[in-house]
Structures are given as C-alpha cells and as structure tokens.
Amino acid sequence: MIFAQGLAPIFILDLAAGVLLAAAASCRSRACGNHVTGAAVLGCLAGLAAPLLRDCLLGFGALPLNRGEYLAAAVFGALAGALFGNLSGRAWRFFYWSDSLGLALAACVGTSRGLAFGLGLSGCLLLGVLAGLAGGLVRDMALGDVARAVEESLYATAAALGALLTLALSLYAPLPDWQSVLAGAALVLLLRLLPRRTGMGA
C-alpha cells in the first residue's frame, strides 16, 4: 500500500492538495461563465491529476482510482470551487490561494513519496514538480488559458524550490516526513506571495 498507516499525515496532506486543486479549477471555470456541471467535472479531473500522475510514475498504476477518498476529495473541492466561482468579488482571490496551496502541497507530497519509494535526488525533485503542476496544467489546457506554469515566474520555480526544501529536510533534519512537506509548502506559498507584494502580477 502506497500510504501505510504510519504515513497517515502525508495521506491527509495529499487529499488536501486534491481538494484545493479541484476547487481552483472549478472556481476558475465558473468565473469564466461555464456551466456548473462542466466546472465540477473539470475540478474532479484537476484534483485527481496529481496523485494519478505521481503514482503511475512510481509504478503503482491507477491506485488512486481504487481509493474512494481521492474521488471524494476531488468532488468536495469541485463543489466548493463552483460555489465560490459565483462570488464575483472573491472568486479570483479564492482561485489564487487554493491554486497556490494545492500546488505547494502536491509538489512537496510528490517529492516526499518519491524519496520514500527509493528515487534518486533528481528523480524526487522531478516527480514533485510534475505532480505539483499536473492539476493546473489540466485546468489551463481545458479552459484554453495560457498555462500559469509558463506564464508566471514564481509558479514552477516556487514548486521546485519547495520540493528542494522538502527533500533537504527529509534527508538532513530530524523531522517527520509530513513536517518536511509542510515546511516546503510554506516556502512555496511565500514565493507565490512575492509577486503580489511587489506588484509583479498575481
């Protein structure tokens, strides 16, 4: 089993990433005027993208499809995002922060899982970044947007630096894996906040 009982905190963070990425996708879709059912479907796809890609690359096939928690998390996030997408004054803020936190958690959880299953350092970083970007890429391609991963300077770079911190703490600090993940995610959020503080864009 990819998440043993002792790794329950990592599993919870993984589900949280799915909720957030699903919410970001459905919120963005509703804010663009799409129907609620279409927004919900897109949210589910975005929420499942990270664990599906990560586990397939780790050799576990479609394991997330056999665990109802992943689908439940994606559905919950998609419905929440669709609700916030109707609130024109708050939709963009909700999208930005749910996307940023989902990116952070998915990237850092992916890095931690790569290390736990024996990948080398570069493999862990690559797995983490790919997992972090997967949900956003699915969303942006489906909506016909320019991918934020290539449009924004501190998107993929933030995910990579957060993954690097997660990896360093997991290897050299006496911390549980989930704490290393949270520290890496906090760095991603800090970096995502910088453009807003400096006026470089959202």
Side-chain angles (χ1 to χ4, degrees), residues 19-166:
V19 169
L20 291 160
L21 290 171
S26 60
C27 176
R28 175 70 173 159
S29 181
R30 284 294 287 157
C32 290
N34 295 316
H35 193 272
V36 64
T37 55
V41 169
L42 177 58
C44 289
L45 291 175
L48 291 170
L52 282 173
L53 176 62
R54 180 196 66 225
D55 290 355
C56 283
L57 291 175
L58 286 173
F60 289 94
L63 181 62
L65 297 179
N66 291 323
R67 300 202 62 169
E69 299 96 325
Y70 284 104
L71 180 58
V75 170
F76 175 78
L79 294 176
L83 175 64
F84 275 92
N86 291 326
L87 304 176
S88 58
R90 300 181 180 179
W92 172 251
R93 182 178 301 177
F94 177 84
F95 165 74
Y96 184 87
W97 288 111
S98 58
D99 181 48
S100 296
L101 186 53
L103 168 75
L105 289 176
C108 296
V109 168
T111 301
S112 180
R113 294 302 85 217
L115 185 63
F117 285 91
L119 292 185
L121 300 184
S122 59
C124 291
L125 290 175
L126 183 58
L127 181 67
V129 173
L130 288 175
L133 298 181
L137 289 174
V138 167
R139 177 196 68 232
D140 293 338
M141 287 189 295
L143 294 176
D145 293 338
V146 177
R148 297 172 73 82
V150 298
E151 184 180 34
E152 298 184 14
S153 59
L154 287 175
Y155 196 87
T157 303
L161 292 175
L164 183 61
L165 178 59
T166 298

